[in-house]
Amino acid sequence: MNLIKKILFIFLFVSNSCTLLFAQPKSKTVFLVYEKTNSPRVQFGIEKLKSSLLNIGYQTKIINDINFFSKSPLILITFRHNKKIANTRIFAKMPKEGYTIISKQNATLIDGADESGSLYGCFELAEIIANTKKLPANLNITDAPEMVLRGACIGVQKPYYLPGRTVYEYPYTPETFPWFYDKKLWIQYLDSMVENRMNSLYLWNGHPFASLVKLKDYPYAVEVDDATFKKNEEIYRFLTTEADKRGIWVIQMFYNIIVSKPFAEHHNIKTQERERPIIPLIADYTRKSIAGFVEKYPNVGLMVCLGEAMEGTGNDDIEWFTKTIIPGVQDGLKALGKTDEPPIVLRAHDCDAPSVMKAALPLYKNLYTEAKFNGEALTYARPRGEWAKLHQTLSKLGSVQIENVHILANLEPFRYGSPDFIQQCVIGMHEVMGGNGLHLYPQASYWDWPYSADSVAGGKRLLQIERDWIWYKAWSRYAWKAKRNRVDEINYWSNQLADKFGCSIADGKKILTAYEESGEIAPKLLRRFGITDGNRQTLTLGMLMTQLINPYRYGLFTLLYDAEAPEGEMLLDYVDKEMKGVKHVGETPVQVNEAVKLHALKALEAIKAIVAKKNKEEFERLQSDVESYYALAFHFAYKTEAALSVLKYKYSNDIKDLEDAEQLLDLSVTMFRDLTKITSASYLYANSMQTSQRKIPMRGVDGTYKHWKEMLPVFEKELRTFRYKIDSLKNNAGKVVADAKPFKNADVHTIDSAGAYFTIEKDGRIFADSNLIIKSYAKELQGLQGVNFGYKQQLTAGASFTFASDKPVKVLVGFFKPQKAAFTKYTFYLKEPELETNASADHYGQSEIKISNAISIEGMPPVNIHTYSFKAGLNTLKLEKGVCLILGFVDGDTVVPVYDAGLMSDNKNKNLDWLFE
């Protein structure tokens, strides 16, 4: 009997319920029969089945002979590696990773579409056995995943910068990442992934190659010593082998253009420089690094981030991808004598991904694309506008578009597990974005992997994968199948939670209610009041009043409102319409305030009376998080209501509006005081990235302003200042006179400058090659000496100049701010420093607007001023391509006020920041 006949016979035999050979269902031995195969996945699945059967009292015997029959219970495991078998009419076509389980009485067939299908079929049957405590007699299950890729990511990065290094630069060493070498932890993590049917693991790092490969042409580029290098080789092979056994594809992510520190020092260049063009040396080094990696680890995929460390978008992106990265992969394959292309994932962040893909697909076929679903947060299930169009465009290229749930800066650090919100997001990924893959970040503490932020007695650290089990389980469940019956899902999760905490199903349902109600709070708050969808904002630490009433000052990321939220109104828009009697549109701040308060009340009510019998300490931490969400919701509601009253004052000039705001602000501080009390005992920090890139509500320099107890004095001072300013207004008949004095020019000598000086004065020329003149300017700028570049030169080469000074200085740079739709590319003006797309956008303290609407130039947009701080000595300021103004130099200790000069503002944008500063 040939192989096809054997399998067809068994298949028909089982499906027709023949019982002649299987007449002893009470036998306590189960035979696990499979065809001879070298598939580690099938063998891993069989071991899972064996373990499940042993747990309910069965003995097992594993037989790798398809001819074997027995009167005892038998489970036959096959997969369609043989095309002749797969194409026979008895075997229906099945998607990749799919499986069928058919059982009648004592015979069971697990038939996989491929090795992963058999693996998942074994896991499915093992779970049924574990849940029912018996070997089922009658099953007919066919299942397959909807999403092609279902993956999680781990950041091989830290909350801080390593000495002498900058963002993303973290060599793989036991000192920096002890967990990376912990095989037991890797097994635990990989087991949790396969339990959740995840099939991809992304490792994020800026430049991993110098920790994993040695290059003949660049032996000095290696970043680790020989002993560490050997450890890295060993653990990487262990990880990839164990992952493959579980059907998981490891994907190594890297940024461009970054080189190793030893390489940079050898050639006297920077490790990363956004404005640096592609040079042959770096291209050759990178190409050979990739080739060496592919040759050494041919079964590992690559994820490429062209943005951030390269300048914006354009031909450099295309050239680097098609002439360096893809050829590097092809060189590695050639060295191996292989033609099967390992997958490459192109990250769409900060690059023109559609154009890059158009150029790349004729050269390399196994390409995927990836883009952030809600930026670096979780806000809305159905993104819209230009952001949705980008995803839709990528999904139509013929490759798979992967949806990235990234960082979650508005969820840190509290537990988040709303199955309903997550399910709606996955449905939105399919229906709106055209995505067919999931790339899932940890729910919190990404930069502090593998630990969570929880403060536990005795200094114990909780593991993220254990604490946030419901986060991974929910996203994985809906990535496998998104549209599931809501009633069934409530029952499913209620049972899961009841089992987790040893309570009744009714109490499990209440816990689910707490998760889902609290799960609406952070998304709604950020999408209606936030500054950014990026990780420079920590939502749970609150916001300053100036950030609420004047968000543009803080670099408002309008994509958050225009794409990652339902249509609606910001605080500024709401008050403007309210005061002018204009009809409101969509989701309003008032509606969100009422909604989050109700969500908080329902969540707290649902969970407060439950007593857990299992995992009691964890349940108490969950209750504490719900209490934290309650305090956070009411803090924000009161504070944003105070902001509405302050904004009304712009139009009314009625002190009563400010007095109303003062009472509301006082209530918000009271709620934040409650939040601080709760979190002082429960959390080590609110945000896991503790560098200066954290800006909102306060800059996180050297790990500061990372806890609520640090923010409480700030908010208390804000309230005291506001009360003082209200008294001052009353005593001065509502008038405040600002005393602005001109800045003094610093003693600076420019070297290698492309332009002469110009003076800031009325009718002063601002460009060497145009007749554009200054009409008006902020008083502080009077008489400053700026560098007169031609705008044509800035468009083609950017602005770059070297200067010397005996003391620290600040360079004032004016950025034109055109009115434009969200996600519209800058084609003429230099884009303001923006941490959402450029991790180096604050290396000189330049990311924040100092004076907005500071200069009026006829025929040009408003000008916002940023400052770049430099130490004494010889320095170079290099700016990307695009038109801007180099307005002058001031001493480093000069206080540049933060305010809106109002030269081009209407009444809506009148500045009231001084009320709180």
Side-chain angles (χ1 to χ4, degrees):
M1 185 182 291
N2 63 31
L3 182 60
I4 295 177
K5 289 181 179 178
K6 291 173 188 173
I7 293 182
L8 289 179
F9 174 75
I10 294 170
F11 185 88
L12 292 169
F13 177 80
V14 173
S15 61
N16 288 330
S17 304
C18 181
T19 60
L20 293 176
L21 295 178
F22 302 101
Q24 299 177 29
K26 293 182 180 181
S27 170
K28 297 300 287 184
T29 298
V30 178
F31 289 93
L32 304 176
V33 180
Y34 69 104
E35 181 191 355
K36 290 182 180 179
T37 173
N38 327 338
S39 170
R41 293 182 195 176
V42 173
Q43 292 171 6
F44 189 78
I46 290 171
E47 287 299 320
K48 177 69 175 180
L49 263 179
K50 176 182 175 181
S51 176
S52 189
L53 288 163
L54 289 173
N55 285 339
I56 62 169
Y58 279 93
Q59 297 299 311
T60 61
K61 290 186 179 180
I62 299 175
I63 308 294
N64 62 351
D65 181 1
I66 202 126
N67 291 307
F68 179 83
F69 290 98
S70 169
K71 294 182 179 181
S72 297
L74 178 148
I75 301 173
L76 174 66
I77 300 102
T78 67
F79 71 96
R80 301 176 188 185
H81 58 102
N82 187 312
K83 290 183 179 178
K84 291 181 179 179
I85 297 173
N87 292 331
T88 57
R89 65 180 180 82
I90 198 69
F91 287 94
K93 288 185 178 180
M94 198 185 301
K96 288 182 178 180
E97 301 182 299
Y99 59 85
T100 292
I101 304 174
I102 299 175
S103 68
K104 292 293 176 94
Q105 299 187 21
N106 268 9
T108 302
L109 171 68
I110 299 174
D111 175 43
D114 45 34
E115 295 172 81
S116 290
S118 291
L119 169 69
Y120 293 147
C122 288
F123 267 66
E124 177 72 16
L125 182 57
E127 288 179 4
I128 292 170
I129 292 169
N131 291 332
T132 61
K133 308 300 182 188
K134 62 182 180 181
L135 182 60
N138 293 284
L139 289 176
N140 192 339
I141 299 171
T142 297
D143 205 358
E146 292 174 344
M147 282 192 165
V148 173
L149 288 177
R150 308 168 305 283
C153 94
I154 291 176
V156 193
Q157 306 185 53
K158 301 297 287 184
Y160 49 82
Y161 296 160
L162 295 179
R165 296 179 181 272
T166 185
V167 64
Y168 304 132
E169 297 180 19
Y170 301 98
Y172 292 0
T173 68
E175 295 77 21
T176 307
F177 304 107
W179 58 264
F180 189 71
Y181 305 87
D182 186 339
K183 292 183 179 179
K184 183 179 179 182
L185 180 62
W186 275 124
I187 292 298
Q188 181 184 1
Y189 184 70
L190 295 172
D191 281 348
S192 72
M193 290 187 72
V194 71
E195 292 285 351
N196 286 325
R197 312 299 190 264
M198 284 188 162
N199 65 358
S200 44
L201 168 61
Y202 301 80
L203 301 177
W204 279 61
N205 188 267
H207 185 70
F209 307 116
S211 296
L212 296 167
V213 294
K214 292 180 179 179
L215 305 178
K216 181 179 67 174
D217 294 343
Y218 303 101
Y220 49 82
V222 179
E223 295 204 269
V224 297
D225 59 39
D226 288 344
T228 299
F229 190 84
K230 289 180 180 178
K231 287 182 180 179
N232 290 348
E233 288 181 313
E234 199 271 333
I235 196 65
Y236 215 80
R237 289 199 176 99
F238 169 83
L239 169 61
T240 53
T241 299
E242 291 296 326
D244 181 68
K245 187 188 297 183
R246 293 162 175 80
I248 298 166
W249 161 38
V250 175
I251 305 164
Q252 179 64 65
M253 178 270 181
F254 62 100
Y255 281 90
N256 291 284
I257 304 173
I258 299 180
V259 298
S260 76
K261 193 169 187 287
F263 180 92
E265 290 171 346
H266 184 88
H267 293 284
N268 195 30
I269 61 175
K270 293 182 179 180
T271 53
Q272 53 182 300
E273 186 177 11
R274 185 176 172 86
E275 301 80 15
R276 177 169 56 199
I278 295 172
I279 60 175
L281 171 68
I282 294 178
D284 185 66
Y285 166 69
T286 304
R287 177 170 176 171
K288 286 175 178 173
S289 294
I290 293 169
F293 180 83
V294 170
E295 184 178 358
K296 194 170 185 179
Y297 305 105
N299 297 320
V300 178
L302 291 172
M303 181 176 184
V304 181
C305 181
L306 294 175
E308 294 213 34
M310 289 183 72
E311 181 180 345
T313 60
N315 289 330
D316 280 0
D317 287 348
I318 296 172
E319 181 177 343
W320 190 254
F321 195 65
T322 59
K323 295 184 179 180
T324 298
I325 292 172
I326 289 177
V329 174
Q330 292 169 332
D331 290 346
L333 292 174
K334 185 177 179 181
L336 287 169
K338 286 191 169 187
T339 57
D340 292 342
E341 297 175 339
I344 302 176
V345 181
L346 173 64
R347 189 182 182 212
H349 177 68
D350 194 34
C351 79
D352 184 357
S355 296
V356 174
M357 287 291 287
K358 183 178 179 181
L361 280 168
L363 308 175
Y364 198 93
K365 298 303 179 187
N366 200 9
L367 296 176
Y368 297 74
T369 56
E370 177 263 30
K372 297 173 183 175
F373 180 60
N374 279 171
E376 295 174 347
L378 190 66
T379 56
Y380 188 41
R382 304 181 76 84
R384 57 195 177 91
E386 293 300 318
W387 187 239
K389 288 181 183 177
L390 171 66
H391 289 241
Q392 292 159 5
T393 299
L394 294 173
S395 71
K396 295 172 183 175
L397 294 174
S399 57
V400 173
Q401 161 60 14
I402 303 167
E403 295 298 316
N404 177 208
V405 180
H406 195 93
I407 292 288
L408 295 317
N410 63 327
L411 304 187
E412 279 198 309
F414 306 133
R415 287 156 179 75
Y416 187 95
S418 171
D420 182 48
F421 197 99
I422 291 170
Q423 182 181 18
Q424 295 311 313
C425 285
V426 178
I427 291 171
M429 290 175 179
H430 286 297
E431 294 184 348
V432 178
M433 314 299 258
N436 200 27
L438 173 69
H439 178 186
L440 182 67
Y441 265 56
Q443 187 255 297
S445 300
Y446 164 79
W447 301 91
D448 197 19
W449 181 268
Y451 304 112
S452 74
D454 296 81
S455 178
V456 181
K460 181 184 176 183
R461 299 297 302 274
L462 301 184
L463 293 176
Q464 293 177 31
I465 52 171
E466 293 176 355
R467 189 198 91 146
D468 299 323
W469 65 276
I470 193 170
W471 171 261
Y472 290 103
K473 195 173 190 70
W475 284 103
S476 302
R477 179 173 175 81
Y478 300 119
W480 184 277
K481 182 180 180 181
K483 291 186 177 179
R484 300 172 186 259
N485 179 271
R486 173 63 176 159
V487 173
D488 291 343
E489 291 307 287
I490 290 172
N491 291 334
Y492 172 82
W493 290 108
S494 298
N495 276 280
Q496 291 285 316
L497 290 162
D499 181 64
K500 177 76 175 177
F501 296 114
C503 59
S504 67
I505 305 261
D507 280 349
K509 187 174 181 180
K510 289 179 181 178
I511 300 171
L512 176 63
T513 297
Y515 264 124
E516 295 195 331
E517 292 293 342
S518 64
E520 295 285 338
I521 294 170
K524 287 180 178 176
L525 287 176
L526 187 70
R527 76 191 190 201
R528 200 47 55 205
F529 304 121
I531 297 292
T532 173
D533 68 0
N535 62 16
R536 66 184 168 102
Q537 174 167 6
T538 305
L539 178 83
T540 55
L541 285 178
M543 293 173 67
L544 302 176
M545 281 296 287
T546 52
Q547 290 161 351
L548 292 170
I549 66 172
N550 186 14
Y552 291 97
R553 163 182 163 181
Y554 296 91
L556 179 71
F557 194 60
T558 55
L559 189 70
L560 172 63
Y561 293 90
D562 297 338
E564 295 160 3
E567 185 179 12
E569 298 170 3
M570 297 170 54
L571 287 164
L572 288 169
D573 299 324
Y574 180 84
V575 174
D576 191 57
K577 289 184 177 182
E578 187 77 6
M579 300 307 286
K580 293 175 180 177
V582 177
K583 184 180 178 181
H584 296 291
V585 176
E587 185 179 76
T588 69
V590 172
Q591 290 172 344
V592 165
N593 276 339
E594 292 306 310
V596 297
K597 288 189 287 188
L598 186 58
H599 289 312
L601 285 165
K602 287 182 177 179
L604 191 60
E605 181 65 27
I607 203 169
K608 67 180 182 181
I610 296 172
V611 177
K613 296 178 182 177
K614 286 169 55 179
N615 297 310
K616 294 180 182 180
E617 291 181 352
E618 175 58 19
F619 185 72
E620 288 171 1
R621 288 190 281 264
L622 175 59
Q623 286 180 315
S624 177
D625 280 359
V626 173
E627 291 171 4
S628 295
Y629 264 124
Y630 177 90
L632 181 73
F634 277 86
H635 163 72
F636 259 100
Y638 289 137
K639 193 157 191 173
T640 53
E641 287 165 13
L644 288 171
S645 288
V646 171
L647 292 171
K648 287 179 183 178
Y649 176 74
K650 287 185 179 185
Y651 302 82
S652 69
N653 289 315
D654 186 346
I655 295 292
K656 178 69 166 55
D657 286 330
L658 298 184
E659 291 174 334
D660 290 344
E662 183 271 329
Q663 294 181 31
L664 290 163
L665 190 58
D666 184 51
L667 289 171
S668 79
V669 171
T670 298
M671 295 309 301
F672 198 85
R673 198 172 287 119
D674 290 346
L675 180 58
T676 302
K677 184 178 180 181
I678 297 167
T679 55
S680 290
S682 59
Y683 280 102
L684 301 171
Y685 57 77
N687 48 43
S688 61
M689 189 176 77
Q690 295 157 11
T691 68
S692 59
Q693 287 173 281
R694 287 283 187 184
K695 296 290 186 183
I696 300 161
M698 300 289 284
R699 177 183 283 196
V701 179
D702 297 327
T704 56
Y705 293 108
K706 64 183 181 183
H707 200 282
W708 298 264
K709 61 188 177 185
E710 294 174 275
M711 285 305 307
L712 179 58
V714 174
F715 292 147
E716 290 173 333
K717 181 182 178 181
E718 186 180 57
L719 177 59
R720 289 195 303 270
T721 300
F722 186 41
R723 285 170 172 163
Y724 175 79
K725 293 295 177 71
I726 292 174
D727 287 342
S728 297
L729 283 172
K730 290 178 180 178
N731 295 331
N732 292 282
K735 297 179 181 178
V736 172
V737 179
D739 182 21
K741 295 181 180 179
F743 296 137
K744 293 181 179 179
N745 285 293
D747 187 11
V748 172
H749 304 285
T750 55
I751 303 166
D752 187 28
S753 172
Y757 287 110
F758 72 94
T759 301
I760 297 181
E761 58 187 358
K762 193 174 187 311
D763 297 330
R765 286 181 60 186
I766 58 171
F767 296 117
D769 54 355
S770 83
N771 292 320
L772 292 170
I773 59 173
I774 297 172
K775 304 301 292 182
S776 60
Y777 49 86
K779 293 180 181 180
E780 291 88 349
L781 305 180
Q782 170 70 45
L784 276 185
Q785 298 288 301
V787 183
N788 200 335
F789 282 90
Y791 79 87
K792 291 180 182 177
Q793 176 195 339
Q794 291 187 55
L795 283 174
T796 56
S800 176
F801 60 94
T802 301
F803 59 92
S805 62
D806 295 331
K807 297 191 298 183
V809 297
K810 292 175 181 173
V811 182
L812 276 63
V813 179
F815 291 87
F816 293 97
K817 194 66 176 175
Q819 293 292 322
K820 66 182 188 69
F823 213 60
T824 302
K825 295 183 178 67
Y826 280 73
T827 56
F828 186 82
Y829 302 106
L830 179 60
K831 190 176 183 179
E832 286 181 295
E834 181 184 85
L835 284 165
E836 278 76 13
T837 56
N838 178 9
S840 63
D842 199 49
H843 280 185
Y844 304 99
Q846 76 271 33
S847 69
E848 294 179 355
I849 299 171
K850 296 298 184 181
I851 307 176
S852 53
N853 295 301
I855 301 177
S856 172
I857 301 165
E858 189 171 347
M860 299 289 280
V863 175
N864 293 339
I865 295 176
H866 296 242
T867 60
Y868 290 67
S869 296
F870 292 89
K871 296 178 181 178
L874 194 66
N875 293 289
T876 297
L877 176 59
K878 186 184 292 185
L879 299 173
E880 300 173 33
K881 299 171 187 175
V883 176
C884 67
L885 298 173
I886 311 301
L887 295 169
F889 306 82
V890 299
D891 287 342
D893 59 1
T894 300
V895 177
V896 179
V898 178
Y899 76 104
D900 186 343
L903 297 180
M904 302 182 74
S905 298
D906 55 23
N907 190 51
K908 174 183 174 182
N909 294 319
K910 185 164 61 175
N911 185 273
L912 292 177
D913 292 11
W914 52 268
L915 286 168
F916 303 95
E917 298 177 331

